[in-house]
Amino acid sequence: MGGLSLLTQLHRLARTSDVRLWSAQIEFALTTANNEGRLPDSTYQRALEVLKRSTGLEADSDSESPIDSIAVGRGEDPAELPKVRNLARRLGRLVRAGDFDGAITLLDKLDRNPPVVRAVEKAYRARHNRDLGTDLRALKPEEKDFVDFALGATTEEPVSVGLATSWLNEMRDLTFEHPDSGHHPVPHDYPESGCYFRAHSIALALQQRGIRPVKVFAAGPDLQITSSDGEGGTTGRPVEVQLDYHVAAAIPVIGPRGPVLSVLDPTVDAQRPLPLAQWLTALNVDSASARHHRGSTAVIRERLMEQQDKTPDAWEEGYPVNQQIVVVTDAQTFDYTELVEHADTSWERSDREFRDSAGPIRSIYAETTRRRVDRALADLVERTEARLVSGVDIDIDDVTSSIADTAAREPIGVRNIVTREPEPLRRLYELLPDHRSQIQDALETAPSDDESDADSSSEESTSNPGSDMDIDSDDDDAPAGPAQDQARQQPDDPSRDEAGPSADSDRGRPVPDPDRLVYPVPHGYSRVNLAKAVAVQRGVLRTIPLRPETIRSAFEVRW
């Protein structure tokens, strides 16, 4: 086993809850291998550090805080954040001084977070015109594996079903950060859209855990998800959500006959990773008749674009209309457009697209909270109806307590609910006409001070995450200008549409009515929903080869 493979596998184990059960035995095995000359001293020491059984990493005398946030506004570059530039500057000074241990200590603070590592590497290149990894390996060639590990290198070794399932559970709790309103849960319970963002969030988290994921795309006619989370769905009564495409992250999992590519997609199955064939079945994909493509994004793009040129009638706006397709490709492929249109597929591009999607995904998150409230009310209505039919008295305190619990759990979802009055609420009024005011009071129960209120930003979450004083300032590197700080001063509401005044009014365009917009970014939307896009909704008008009319691209409608 190579050094990098050993470190990444130990890293995975160190993140599990039962690491203490095995660490002593693993340390004994590592020590034995080292004593027998099968494990180099440097790799042995680093392996113990990864297992948290050793404190070989130097203490940082300057107590440099980790870069815990690189959230920036749309079009901004996290490599320009002062905290990122400061760290790149310090790394450069340590490298020039030949202080490998000091530099690797700073790098270790990034915890292998892929976007953060890439931002620091970019800032390092911009400042020193050199590659950080190359410089560190040159200082200590024998530490090459640990440098690669600290920079987030991954391996393709398959993992056990148990570990993959544990990771899926962790994926359900992923969050994303909006520069104005802070952290929000990744909305896995919105099957209509946002799959590209969810898949990328999971792919990044898997990379951090040391495994190299791929992205799996499915597209074509009759693609759908049956889900109780879809619009109009309730617990026990799922709805069919029609899709143009869907994407998720996948990894190799140990199977009885060898590695099995398994998909981690909480939107389709939140309980277990699905072997690719089962995931396709859940999407109503006939795997036997679908056309399968596997390889690099560049190769697949060339192949699919050639097919579009040869058989234009078989494609509509980049989607196949006669035959479903399945694509297994690079994890840095952010969305379906990169498979059917000319694009620069790279981690830099996908990181940028990922950051710029935080606004629309925040809107999706707000919608999911409303749906969860509506489903909770629908369940309450069902229970109330059953009790009334059976002649059992209704305890209004139980009803209002249930409603208040929902309001406290979903403070965003209940906002303006009395005004919007969803169908379950109207039905509850009808069932309990004498208790309307009590129901409304319960819905308006304010969350406690310590509960997260994602509609309004705290002082901490709205401040510039990189606005620390530049303690190592050089003459040629000043702190960020006021434009970055000003962009983060106003608290933001995730339930407000991203096509707000800042998007259009300063250009003289009319601001779209939020109630009429396609909601939000329509990756994965059906063409029926895409047709609802109003003229003032920003998007890209383009022409399709061999078609004379100009259309609004299904991929490029962005807010």
Side-chain angles (χ1 to χ4, degrees):
M1 179 184 295
L4 177 60
S5 177
L6 173 64
L7 294 172
T8 53
Q9 293 200 36
L10 291 175
H11 174 67
R12 298 170 191 172
L13 178 63
R15 299 178 71 100
T16 63
S17 58
D18 57 353
V19 60
R20 293 187 178 182
L21 300 177
W22 300 100
S23 58
Q25 298 178 43
I26 294 173
E27 182 177 359
F28 177 78
L30 293 171
T31 302
T32 301
N34 177 249
N35 290 337
E36 294 176 354
R38 293 182 287 111
L39 187 64
D41 290 344
S42 59
T43 303
Y44 169 67
Q45 181 63 30
R46 298 305 183 183
L48 294 183
E49 291 166 8
V50 171
L51 265 182
K52 310 302 181 186
R53 301 281 294 183
S54 172
T55 56
L57 292 178
E58 282 191 349
D60 187 2
S61 59
D62 290 332
S63 300
E64 174 77 358
S65 299
I67 298 175
D68 54 359
S69 172
I70 56 168
V72 294
R74 188 178 182 88
E76 296 180 2
D77 188 347
E80 295 298 322
L81 290 173
K83 188 174 290 188
V84 175
R85 293 196 320 232
N86 285 346
L87 184 55
R89 181 183 303 109
R90 294 191 64 193
L91 286 167
R93 289 175 174 171
L94 291 168
V95 167
R96 287 195 299 273
D99 187 356
F100 175 86
D101 289 336
I104 205 69
T105 296
L106 284 181
L107 191 59
D108 185 66
K109 292 177 180 293
L110 304 184
D111 194 28
R112 291 173 46 88
N113 185 312
V116 176
V117 170
R118 286 192 283 267
V120 171
E121 287 183 300
K122 183 177 180 180
Y124 187 92
R125 284 193 301 271
R127 176 163 184 84
H128 306 291
N129 198 29
R130 298 176 64 88
D131 178 72
L132 175 59
T134 301
D135 284 351
L136 290 173
R137 296 182 199 99
L139 286 180
K140 273 196 176 182
E142 68 274 17
E143 294 271 26
K144 172 186 178 299
D145 289 333
F146 191 67
V147 170
D148 292 343
F149 170 80
L151 287 171
T154 57
T155 65
E156 296 179 337
E157 283 98 343
V159 299
S160 67
V161 173
L163 183 55
T165 303
S166 175
W167 283 350
L168 178 64
N169 293 335
E170 295 172 9
M171 299 304 109
R172 298 203 305 257
D173 297 327
L174 289 177
T175 63
F176 69 98
E177 188 174 12
H178 189 280
D180 295 322
S181 53
H183 287 273
H184 307 289
V186 173
H188 296 293
D189 49 350
Y190 192 87
E192 290 89 342
S193 187
C195 60
Y196 57 96
F197 190 90
R198 296 188 292 267
H200 205 68
S201 297
I202 291 174
L204 293 174
L206 291 170
Q207 282 186 315
Q208 191 171 17
R209 286 155 177 78
I211 195 166
R212 190 173 306 145
V214 295
K215 295 274 186 71
V216 184
F217 291 81
D222 303 320
L223 195 70
Q224 63 184 36
I225 297 177
T226 302
S227 172
S228 60
D229 294 327
E231 185 175 5
T234 60
T235 304
R237 287 194 294 272
V239 295
E240 292 182 352
V241 179
Q242 304 298 318
L243 303 171
D244 280 332
Y245 89 92
H246 191 66
V247 59
I251 57 174
V253 173
I254 299 171
R257 299 181 180 179
V260 176
L261 187 63
S262 298
V263 183
L264 279 66
D265 187 357
T267 303
V268 173
D269 193 321
Q271 303 305 317
R272 62 192 180 100
L274 292 179
L276 178 58
Q278 295 182 24
W279 182 75
L280 293 173
T281 299
L283 293 173
N284 197 37
V285 173
D286 183 355
S287 185
S289 63
R291 180 171 292 180
H292 292 254
H293 303 273
R294 184 162 189 163
S296 70
T297 303
V299 170
I300 293 174
R301 180 191 304 124
E302 182 178 356
R303 190 181 308 160
L304 294 181
M305 292 182 68
E306 181 180 357
Q307 291 177 12
Q308 291 181 77
D309 292 339
K310 289 182 177 179
T311 58
D313 292 340
W315 297 78
E316 183 178 346
E317 299 185 12
Y319 296 114
V321 296
N322 298 324
Q323 184 181 30
Q324 295 171 326
I325 63 172
V326 177
V327 173
V328 179
T329 191
D330 308 321
Q332 64 263 39
T333 309
F334 188 70
D335 61 21
Y336 182 78
T337 55
E338 296 175 50
L339 300 176
V340 293
E341 296 180 354
H342 290 293
D344 174 27
T345 299
S346 64
W347 281 116
E348 183 172 2
R349 178 187 189 274
S350 61
D351 284 346
R352 182 178 64 251
E353 294 282 349
F354 184 68
R355 294 192 303 269
D356 289 349
S357 297
I361 297 302
R362 184 183 62 165
S363 296
I364 285 183
Y365 162 68
E367 174 63 15
T368 60
T369 65
R370 287 189 283 266
R371 289 187 181 182
R372 288 196 293 268
V373 168
D374 292 356
R375 284 196 296 271
L377 289 177
D379 291 343
L380 179 60
V381 165
E382 188 172 328
R383 296 196 301 271
T384 303
E385 287 178 329
R387 295 176 71 88
L388 289 173
V389 169
S390 61
V392 177
D393 291 338
I394 301 297
D395 186 338
I396 189 60
D397 289 338
D398 288 344
V399 173
T400 55
S401 176
S402 177
I403 294 173
D405 287 345
T406 299
R409 189 172 59 251
E410 303 286 359
I412 297 174
V414 297
R415 291 196 168 176
N416 301 318
I417 191 172
V418 174
T419 301
R420 68 182 179 90
E421 200 172 280
E423 175 58 31
L425 181 57
R426 289 196 294 270
R427 182 61 181 147
L428 199 59
Y429 289 157
E430 294 170 1
L431 294 174
L432 305 171
D434 297 334
H435 302 287
R436 185 184 184 106
S437 61
Q438 290 166 277
I439 293 171
Q440 292 181 353
D441 289 343
L443 286 169
E444 294 171 355
T445 300
S448 60
D449 292 340
D450 59 347
E451 287 180 310
S452 171
D453 185 347
D455 268 1
S456 58
S457 305
S458 66
E459 180 180 351
E460 179 180 358
S461 65
T462 57
S463 64
N464 182 348
S467 60
D468 302 44
M469 182 69 70
D470 187 352
I471 58 174
D472 289 330
S473 152
D474 286 346
D475 293 340
D476 59 342
D477 216 348
Q484 278 187 315
D485 295 332
Q486 187 175 6
R488 297 183 179 85
Q489 287 175 357
Q490 297 300 323
D492 223 349
D493 184 344
S495 63
R496 178 178 61 81
D497 283 303
E498 291 299 311
S502 63
D504 284 313
S505 60
D506 60 340
R507 302 189 182 188
R509 302 172 182 157
V511 178
D513 178 357
D515 293 332
R516 297 179 61 212
L517 289 172
V518 171
Y519 187 87
V521 176
H523 296 298
Y525 262 20
S526 68
R527 295 183 184 89
V528 173
N529 283 342
L530 286 172
K532 298 176 183 177
V534 294
V536 292
Q537 180 169 346
R538 290 191 299 161
V540 176
L541 299 179
R542 65 187 180 100
T543 58
I544 298 294
L546 303 182
R547 289 178 58 176
E549 67 272 24
T550 299
I551 65 169
R552 184 181 297 276
S553 168
F555 321 123
E556 298 179 4
V557 177
R558 299 181 185 273
W559 297 9

